[in-house]
Amino acid sequence: MSSLDAKTLYKSRFEAAMEIWSRIMKNEVSSRNQLEELLYIVYKQKNVEPFRGLSKIRIYDKEISTVFIVGKYGLGLVDGEVTKAFSNLFNVELRCDEIYQFLKSRNFQLSIDDMEKVRKLLDDNILGLKLEERGFRLLRYVFTGAIMRLMPEEDFVNTYKALATVYPDLAKAFMRYVRFYVAFRVAEDIALGNIKKPEEKKIMKYTYCLRLNLTGCVPHDKLIREIALRVYKVPRKVVDRLFPNEGKGSFIPKAQ
């Protein structure tokens, strides 16, 4: 599967982000709540589904990361002046990007002082009230960039490893987001027609984990099935053929 092929799956998502940036640059959006509402409207118009997890609460607030990442890493719009002008719209994403850039500057290899710096950066209620929520928010940010081919996949894996190093007690919890990522990549292959048999789907789940060089990251079939149906809008008859043993009811994964 080529990145170019995969990017076609996100064409409407890119277009939605570009439309929203056009409105932002015209000063038509003055608050984060307005941005969240606009994102909802534009996504509905373009039939785009947010990257989905367990909770639907403020799911469009979480999806704002897509707009920011497309603006910064896709369109090159986010420089110092833009960052200052729209910091009220992207306060969450700016903090996530600050942490991400710090990790990259250390090549994701953290000294004791670096780990303390990460703890201080993550100690911010705008990312969530609980530490686990803040870690998930950071992972979602880099996940979004990696899925949309605007950040290296290795950066997502290394962000997980860095968080697991800084917060070893939460390593298992953060691994759920790695499974979420693998589920998306397998669902992508289904949407692109690269997986046509249940056996191929099973192989790909393990192939991605081997590629990421991580254990315990194989996602549940129900999660892959849901993403294929909801996000990539794969025809139900195709999904049912690939997941003959899964129930047909909706399933939302835990802990995103």
Side-chain angles (χ1 to χ4, degrees):
M1 178 178 65
S2 72
S3 294
L4 181 62
D5 287 338
K7 279 187 175 180
T8 62
L9 293 177
Y10 304 106
K11 184 172 183 287
S12 295
R13 197 176 300 262
F14 272 99
E15 290 174 348
M18 291 169 65
E19 181 175 329
I20 290 166
W21 269 109
S22 176
R23 301 277 291 274
I24 291 172
M25 300 301 278
K26 293 175 184 175
N27 293 314
E28 296 178 9
V29 184
S30 60
S31 70
R32 190 174 177 93
N33 283 341
Q34 274 190 324
L35 178 56
E36 184 180 347
E37 291 170 3
L38 177 60
L39 182 58
Y40 174 84
I41 292 168
V42 174
Y43 268 30
K44 291 299 182 184
Q45 289 173 344
K46 295 185 178 295
N47 196 29
V48 174
E49 185 75 9
F51 292 130
R52 295 285 292 276
L54 168 64
S55 176
K56 295 182 183 179
I57 299 173
R58 301 303 295 278
I59 191 66
Y60 285 92
D61 179 79
K62 296 173 184 176
E63 188 69 17
I64 288 173
S65 62
T66 297
V67 179
F68 182 86
I69 287 169
V70 168
K72 178 166 185 174
Y73 295 96
L75 303 175
L77 292 175
V78 183
D79 58 19
E81 290 303 312
V82 172
T83 296
K84 184 176 180 181
F86 302 120
S87 59
N88 63 317
L89 302 181
F90 298 110
N91 57 342
V92 174
E93 292 70 34
L94 286 166
R95 175 47 60 94
C96 286
D97 197 68
E98 182 181 3
I99 301 170
Y100 168 61
Q101 291 298 336
F102 176 76
L103 293 175
K104 277 181 74 73
S105 73
R106 298 298 189 268
N107 199 27
F108 298 94
Q109 303 298 315
L110 304 179
S111 67
I112 293 175
D113 288 344
D114 292 336
M115 288 192 282
E116 184 58 31
K117 171 79 169 178
V118 171
R119 292 188 189 100
K120 288 181 179 178
L121 288 171
L122 268 175
D123 186 19
D124 192 332
N125 286 343
I126 66 167
L127 300 179
L129 297 179
K130 297 179 180 178
L131 177 57
E132 185 174 312
E133 294 173 9
R134 298 168 190 164
F136 279 136
R137 198 69 183 238
L138 174 63
L139 286 168
R140 181 189 177 90
Y141 180 77
V142 188
F143 157 89
T144 300
I147 282 290
M148 297 187 71
R149 309 316 198 264
L150 293 172
M151 295 175 183
E153 179 176 81
E154 295 78 10
D155 285 4
F156 173 73
V157 176
N158 287 328
T159 298
Y160 157 74
K161 289 180 177 179
L163 282 176
T165 299
V166 177
Y167 303 104
D169 291 347
L170 292 174
K172 287 185 178 180
F174 293 146
M175 176 56 74
R176 294 199 292 262
Y177 228 103
V178 181
R179 288 197 286 269
F180 192 59
Y181 177 81
V182 173
F184 260 87
R185 294 306 301 269
V186 176
E188 275 185 356
D189 276 341
I190 293 172
L192 290 169
N194 296 331
I195 294 176
K196 296 182 172 64
K197 300 177 182 178
E199 299 79 23
E200 294 172 343
K201 175 256 301 173
K202 183 176 181 179
I203 290 169
M204 286 310 300
K205 288 198 299 183
Y206 289 92
T207 297
Y208 275 116
C209 286
L210 286 172
R211 194 176 83 186
L212 300 181
N213 197 26
L214 291 171
T215 59
C217 68
V218 178
H220 198 288
D221 274 357
K222 286 184 177 179
L223 175 51
I224 302 170
R225 180 181 186 276
E226 185 72 9
I227 293 168
L229 274 175
R230 293 291 189 89
V231 179
Y232 296 119
K233 298 175 172 49
V234 177
R236 185 174 291 274
K237 63 180 181 180
V238 174
V239 173
D240 288 346
R241 185 174 71 247
L242 291 173
F243 300 91
N245 299 320
E246 293 301 330
K248 304 303 187 286
S250 177
F251 172 83
I252 303 294
K254 185 178 181 181
Q256 285 1 292

Coordinates of all heavy atoms in Angstrom, one line a residue, residues 17 21 32 35 39 43 51 59-73 90 92-93 96 137 140-145 148 150-151 177:
A17 N -10.5 20.6 6.3 CA -9.6 21.4 7.1 C -9.2 22.6 6.4 O -9.1 23.7 7.0 CB -8.3 20.5 7.4
W21 N -9.7 26.4 7.6 CA -8.6 27.4 7.7 C -8.9 28.7 6.9 O -8.5 29.8 7.3 CB -7.3 26.7 7.2 CG -6.5 26.1 8.3 CD1 -6.3 24.8 8.5 CD2 -5.8 26.8 9.4 NE1 -5.6 24.6 9.6 CE2 -5.2 25.8 10.2 CE3 -5.6 28.1 9.7 CZ2 -4.5 26.1 11.3 CZ3 -4.9 28.4 10.8 CH2 -4.3 27.4 11.6
R32 N -12.9 28.7 20.4 CA -12.7 27.3 20.2 C -14.1 26.6 20.0 O -14.3 25.7 19.2 CB -11.9 26.6 21.3 CG -11.5 25.2 21.0 CD -10.6 24.6 22.1 NE -10.4 23.2 21.9 CZ -9.3 22.8 21.2 NH1 -8.4 23.6 20.7 NH2 -9.1 21.5 21.0
L35 N -15.1 27.1 16.6 CA -14.4 26.2 15.7 C -14.9 24.8 15.8 O -15.0 24.1 14.7 CB -12.9 26.3 16.1 CG -11.9 25.4 15.4 CD1 -12.0 25.7 13.9 CD2 -10.5 25.5 15.9
L39 N -16.5 22.9 12.6 CA -15.9 21.6 12.2 C -17.0 20.5 12.0 O -17.1 19.8 11.1 CB -14.9 21.1 13.2 CG -14.2 19.8 13.0 CD1 -13.4 19.8 11.7 CD2 -13.2 19.5 14.2
Y43 N -17.8 18.9 8.4 CA -17.7 17.4 8.3 C -19.0 16.8 7.9 O -19.0 15.9 7.0 CB -17.3 16.8 9.7 CG -15.8 16.7 9.9 CD1 -14.9 17.5 9.2 CD2 -15.3 15.7 10.7 CE1 -13.5 17.4 9.4 CE2 -13.9 15.5 10.8 CZ -13.1 16.3 10.2 OH -11.7 16.2 10.4
F51 N -12.2 10.8 13.7 CA -11.5 9.7 14.2 C -12.2 9.3 15.6 O -12.2 10.1 16.5 CB -10.0 10.0 14.4 CG -9.3 10.2 13.1 CD1 -8.5 11.3 13.0 CD2 -9.4 9.3 12.1 CE1 -7.8 11.5 11.8 CE2 -8.7 9.5 10.9 CZ -7.9 10.6 10.8
I59 N -16.2 15.0 20.9 CA -15.4 14.3 19.9 C -14.9 15.3 18.8 O -13.8 15.2 18.3 CB -16.2 13.2 19.2 CG1 -15.3 12.3 18.4 CG2 -17.4 13.7 18.4 CD1 -14.3 11.6 19.1
Y60 N -15.7 16.3 18.5 CA -15.3 17.3 17.5 C -14.2 18.3 18.1 O -13.4 18.8 17.4 CB -16.5 18.1 16.9 CG -17.3 17.2 16.0 CD1 -18.3 16.5 16.4 CD2 -16.9 17.2 14.6 CE1 -19.0 15.7 15.5 CE2 -17.6 16.4 13.7 CZ -18.6 15.6 14.1 OH -19.3 14.8 13.2
D61 N -14.3 18.5 19.4 CA -13.2 19.2 20.0 C -11.9 18.4 19.9 O -10.8 19.0 19.5 CB -13.5 19.4 21.5 CG -12.3 20.2 22.2 OD1 -12.3 21.4 22.1 OD2 -11.5 19.5 22.9
K62 N -11.9 17.1 20.0 CA -10.7 16.3 19.9 C -10.3 16.3 18.4 O -9.1 16.3 18.1 CB -11.0 14.9 20.3 CG -11.3 14.8 21.8 CD -11.7 13.4 22.2 CE -12.0 13.3 23.7 NZ -12.5 12.0 24.1
E63 N -11.2 16.4 17.5 CA -10.9 16.4 16.1 C -10.3 17.7 15.6 O -9.7 17.7 14.5 CB -12.2 16.1 15.3 CG -12.0 15.8 13.8 CD -11.3 14.5 13.5 OE1 -11.3 13.6 14.4 OE2 -10.8 14.4 12.3
I64 N -10.3 18.7 16.4 CA -9.7 19.9 16.0 C -8.2 19.7 15.7 O -7.6 20.4 14.9 CB -9.9 21.0 17.1 CG1 -11.3 21.5 17.1 CG2 -8.9 22.2 16.9 CD1 -11.7 22.4 18.3
S65 N -7.6 18.7 16.3 CA -6.2 18.3 16.1 C -6.0 18.1 14.6 O -4.9 18.5 14.0 CB -5.8 17.1 16.9 OG -6.5 16.0 16.5
T66 N -7.0 17.6 13.9 CA -6.8 17.3 12.4 C -6.7 18.7 11.7 O -5.8 18.8 10.8 CB -8.0 16.6 11.9 OG1 -8.1 15.3 12.5 CG2 -8.0 16.4 10.4
V67 N -7.5 19.6 12.1 CA -7.4 21.0 11.4 C -6.1 21.6 11.7 O -5.4 22.1 10.7 CB -8.5 21.9 12.0 CG1 -8.4 23.3 11.3 CG2 -9.9 21.3 11.8
F68 N -5.6 21.5 12.9 CA -4.3 22.1 13.2 C -3.2 21.5 12.5 O -2.3 22.1 11.9 CB -4.0 22.1 14.8 CG -2.8 22.7 15.2 CD1 -2.7 24.1 15.5 CD2 -1.6 22.0 15.3 CE1 -1.5 24.7 15.9 CE2 -0.4 22.6 15.7 CZ -0.4 23.9 16.0
I69 N -3.1 20.1 12.5 CA -2.0 19.4 11.9 C -2.0 19.6 10.4 O -0.9 19.8 9.8 CB -2.1 17.9 12.2 CG1 -1.8 17.7 13.7 CG2 -1.3 17.0 11.3 CD1 -2.1 16.3 14.2
V70 N -3.2 19.6 9.7 CA -3.2 19.9 8.3 C -2.7 21.4 8.0 O -1.9 21.6 7.1 CB -4.7 19.8 7.7 CG1 -4.8 20.4 6.3 CG2 -5.1 18.3 7.7
G71 N -3.1 22.3 8.9 CA -2.6 23.7 8.8 C -1.1 23.8 8.9 O -0.4 24.5 8.1
K72 N -0.5 23.1 9.9 CA 0.9 23.3 10.2 C 1.7 22.4 9.3 O 2.7 22.9 8.7 CB 1.2 23.0 11.7 CG 2.7 23.1 12.0 CD 3.0 23.1 13.5 CE 4.5 23.3 13.7 NZ 4.9 23.5 15.1
Y73 N 1.4 21.1 9.3 CA 2.3 20.1 8.6 C 1.9 19.9 7.1 O 2.7 19.3 6.4 CB 2.3 18.8 9.4 CG 3.0 19.0 10.7 CD1 2.2 19.2 11.9 CD2 4.3 19.0 10.9 CE1 2.8 19.4 13.1 CE2 5.0 19.2 12.1 CZ 4.2 19.4 13.2 OH 4.8 19.6 14.5
F90 N -6.5 27.0 19.3 CA -5.7 25.8 19.2 C -4.8 25.6 20.5 O -3.7 25.1 20.4 CB -4.8 25.8 18.0 CG -5.5 25.8 16.7 CD1 -5.5 27.0 15.9 CD2 -6.3 24.7 16.3 CE1 -6.2 27.0 14.7 CE2 -6.9 24.8 15.1 CZ -6.9 25.9 14.3
V92 N -5.0 23.6 23.0 CA -4.7 22.1 23.3 C -3.7 21.6 22.3 O -2.7 21.0 22.7 CB -6.0 21.3 23.1 CG1 -5.7 19.8 23.3 CG2 -7.0 21.7 24.2
E93 N -3.9 21.9 21.0 CA -3.0 21.4 20.0 C -1.6 22.0 20.1 O -0.6 21.4 19.8 CB -3.6 21.7 18.6 CG -4.8 20.9 18.3 CD -6.0 21.3 19.1 OE1 -6.2 22.5 19.4 OE2 -6.9 20.4 19.4
C96 N 0.2 20.2 22.8 CA 0.6 18.8 22.3 C 1.8 18.9 21.3 O 2.7 18.1 21.4 CB -0.6 18.2 21.6 SG -1.9 17.6 22.7
R137 N -4.5 12.4 25.0 CA -4.7 13.6 24.1 C -3.4 13.8 23.3 O -3.5 14.1 22.1 CB -5.0 14.8 24.9 CG -5.6 16.0 24.1 CD -7.0 15.7 23.7 NE -7.5 16.7 22.8 CZ -8.7 17.4 23.1 NH1 -9.4 17.0 24.2 NH2 -9.1 18.3 22.3
R140 N -3.3 11.0 20.7 CA -4.2 11.3 19.6 C -3.7 12.3 18.6 O -3.8 12.1 17.4 CB -5.6 11.8 20.2 CG -6.6 12.0 19.1 CD -7.8 12.8 19.5 NE -8.7 13.0 18.4 CZ -9.7 12.2 18.0 NH1 -9.9 11.0 18.6 NH2 -10.4 12.5 17.0
Y141 N -3.0 13.3 19.1 CA -2.4 14.3 18.3 C -1.4 13.7 17.3 O -1.5 13.9 16.1 CB -1.7 15.4 19.2 CG -1.1 16.5 18.4 CD1 -1.8 17.5 17.9 CD2 0.3 16.5 18.2 CE1 -1.3 18.5 17.1 CE2 0.9 17.5 17.5 CZ 0.1 18.6 16.9 OH 0.7 19.6 16.2
V142 N -0.4 12.9 17.8 CA 0.6 12.3 16.9 C 0.0 11.2 16.1 O 0.3 11.0 14.9 CB 1.8 11.8 17.8 CG1 2.9 11.3 16.9 CG2 2.3 12.9 18.7
F143 N -1.0 10.5 16.6 CA -1.8 9.5 15.9 C -2.4 10.1 14.6 O -2.3 9.6 13.5 CB -2.9 8.9 16.8 CG -4.0 8.3 16.1 CD1 -4.1 7.0 15.7 CD2 -5.2 9.1 15.8 CE1 -5.1 6.4 15.0 CE2 -6.3 8.5 15.1 CZ -6.3 7.2 14.7
T144 N -3.0 11.3 14.8 CA -3.6 12.0 13.7 C -2.6 12.3 12.6 O -2.9 12.1 11.4 CB -4.3 13.2 14.2 OG1 -5.3 12.9 15.2 CG2 -5.0 14.0 13.0
G145 N -1.5 12.8 13.0 CA -0.5 13.2 12.1 C 0.1 12.0 11.3 O 0.3 12.0 10.1
M148 N -2.6 10.4 8.8 CA -2.8 11.3 7.7 C -1.5 11.5 6.9 O -1.4 12.3 5.9 CB -3.4 12.6 8.1 CG -4.8 12.4 8.7 SD -5.6 14.0 9.0 CE -6.0 14.5 7.3
L150 N 1.3 12.9 7.7 CA 1.9 14.2 7.9 C 3.0 14.2 8.9 O 3.7 15.1 9.1 CB 0.8 15.3 8.2 CG -0.2 15.6 7.1 CD1 -1.3 16.5 7.6 CD2 0.5 16.2 5.9
M151 N 3.0 13.1 9.7 CA 4.1 12.8 10.6 C 4.6 11.4 10.4 O 3.8 10.5 10.0 CB 3.6 13.0 12.1 CG 3.2 14.3 12.5 SD 2.5 14.3 14.2 CE 2.0 16.0 14.3
Y177 N -3.9 2.9 22.8 CA -3.9 3.8 21.7 C -3.1 3.2 20.5 O -3.3 3.5 19.4 CB -3.4 5.2 22.1 CG -4.3 6.2 21.5 CD1 -5.2 6.9 22.4 CD2 -4.3 6.5 20.2 CE1 -6.1 7.9 21.9 CE2 -5.2 7.5 19.7 CZ -6.0 8.1 20.5 OH -6.9 9.1 20.0

